Amino acid sequence: PLRALARAERRMGRRADVVHLYHRGSELFPTPQERRIARDPGGRRILLVNWKPSLDHTWAQIAGGAIDPRIDRLAAHITRNFPERFFLTVHHEPENDVRQHPGSGMTAEDYAAMFRHVVRRLRRDGVRNAVTVMTYMGAPNWGASPWFDRLYPGDDVVDWVAMDPYADERVRTFGDLVDRTREGFARWPGTYRWMNAHLPGKPVMLAEWGVFERPGDPAFKERFFAGTRRQVRDYPRIKALVYFDSPHAPRGDTRFDTTPGALQAFSGLAHDPDLRAPAVPQQ
């Protein structure tokens, strides 16, 4: 993470305000290296930790206490080593893991119960510095599912809501990205609109977002980033943009500097004074 962060910051010409990290199972976080990232003497950063508590248990089993010793061990690690505030997502993008049949242990209701149990157990164990994030895929096919609304764990255990949208061949602008609709899913209004209607009191984060290369249109990223700088102001509830910068994202290359024009436009977005984070609270 330290090397990747240094490389990304050098390429975009500014420090990152938020650093997204991924953990699973019994891994303890933040690690010593991640704590160094958060406490950099040159300026503190906010950690966004994405944790899948178990890949070997169903959501229903986790909600029933099957991994409580693991949760307790993690809570002890956090309270002992990291008093700073950080974002915590519990099992991001659950939609494509849902198995909506009785007894699966992986229904939308099971997910909500699992999220609630993990957060309440961590809080009971003394973890009060985790700002909890419910992270959706934000895809129309899942959003239009009859069980989609039942994934939400509840206002008392969710501080922020997030989406993970990517600009594929169907997306032309930032507005398309955050409010993507699709023919055949008429009941889905778009993720930002849905959040406005159903979760009006929560700040919104793009916990992952990226722009794929367009064969035959090398200037697409440049236009997209320039347009994002203008259009993001139309979505005032969005309080964080966490870019997924990778040459090997699942559906293509999302690096922000694949052309000089793309780099210039992304750097302009990154340096926009309206998109700079306030001082990171120490606790």
Side-chain angles (χ1 to χ4, degrees):
L2 273 172
R3 289 196 302 271
L5 175 63
R7 187 165 56 244
E9 290 182 334
R10 184 171 59 251
R11 288 161 52 223
M12 71 178 174
R14 62 155 287 187
R15 294 173 55 82
D17 296 310
V18 180
V19 178
H20 198 169
L21 307 158
Y22 298 82
H23 286 281
R24 60 177 58 181
S26 61
E27 297 171 4
L28 295 176
F29 57 82
T31 66
Q33 186 175 141
E34 291 162 0
R35 298 198 293 273
R36 286 176 59 193
I37 288 171
R39 297 167 176 166
D40 191 323
R44 290 176 174 266
R45 302 181 184 90
I46 302 171
L47 303 184
L48 166 58
V49 180
N50 205 317
W51 182 41
K52 289 191 174 182
S54 177
L55 302 182
D56 302 316
H57 297 83
T58 66
W59 293 330
Q61 288 171 334
I62 297 171
I67 65 164
D68 281 358
R70 177 179 299 174
I71 299 171
D72 296 342
R73 178 171 170 261
L74 174 64
H77 173 83
I78 293 172
T79 56
R80 184 171 57 249
N81 294 292
F82 197 72
E84 293 91 341
R85 298 180 78 184
F86 68 101
F87 289 118
L88 175 64
T89 286
V90 181
H91 198 117
H92 75 309
E93 301 182 2
E95 294 98 312
N96 63 341
D97 293 322
V98 169
R99 302 293 179 264
Q100 200 66 16
H101 56 268
S104 71
M106 297 292 286
T107 67
E109 294 84 353
D110 291 328
Y111 175 82
M114 179 276 298
F115 191 111
R116 289 187 62 81
H117 179 79
V118 170
V119 171
R120 294 177 73 180
R121 184 90 183 182
L122 287 170
R123 290 176 178 173
R124 191 212 69 167
D125 288 346
V127 178
R128 299 289 176 176
N129 52 327
V131 179
T132 54
V133 185
M134 169 67 202
T135 303
Y136 296 93
M137 297 177 76
N141 56 314
W142 299 119
S145 298
W147 44 259
F148 181 78
D149 290 0
R150 299 198 290 274
L151 286 168
Y152 186 65
D155 286 347
D156 60 325
V157 292
V158 175
D159 298 317
W160 286 50
V161 290
M163 64 179 93
D164 288 352
Y166 286 83
D168 58 16
E169 66 280 358
R170 299 183 179 94
V171 173
R172 297 169 299 170
T173 67
F174 184 77
D176 294 340
L177 184 76
V178 299
D179 258 338
R180 183 170 46 175
T181 58
R182 190 182 302 173
E183 187 176 351
F185 301 99
R187 68 183 297 266
W188 181 242
T191 306
Y192 187 84
R193 292 191 191 98
W194 180 85
M195 288 178 172
N196 273 345
H198 294 264
L199 308 169
K202 303 297 181 182
V204 176
M205 172 192 299
L206 270 60
E208 292 179 17
W209 70 289
V211 182
F212 296 122
E213 290 292 302
R214 293 271 175 104
D217 189 1
F220 177 71
K221 283 183 178 176
E222 177 181 355
R223 294 197 309 272
F224 195 94
F225 295 143
T228 296
R229 186 175 179 182
R230 296 189 302 270
Q231 294 173 9
V232 71
R233 292 165 173 79
D234 297 332
Y235 301 88
R237 288 185 57 204
I238 295 177
K239 303 300 183 183
L241 298 171
V242 187
Y243 194 80
F244 194 91
D245 171 65
S246 173
H248 305 297
R251 297 179 62 185
D253 186 341
T254 61
R255 287 176 298 175
F256 56 77
D257 57 352
T258 48
T259 68
L263 174 59
Q264 182 178 11
F266 188 88
S267 295
L269 174 67
H271 285 88
D272 191 308
D274 289 342
L275 299 179
R276 300 306 297 266
V280 180
Q282 295 190 22
Q283 294 188 8

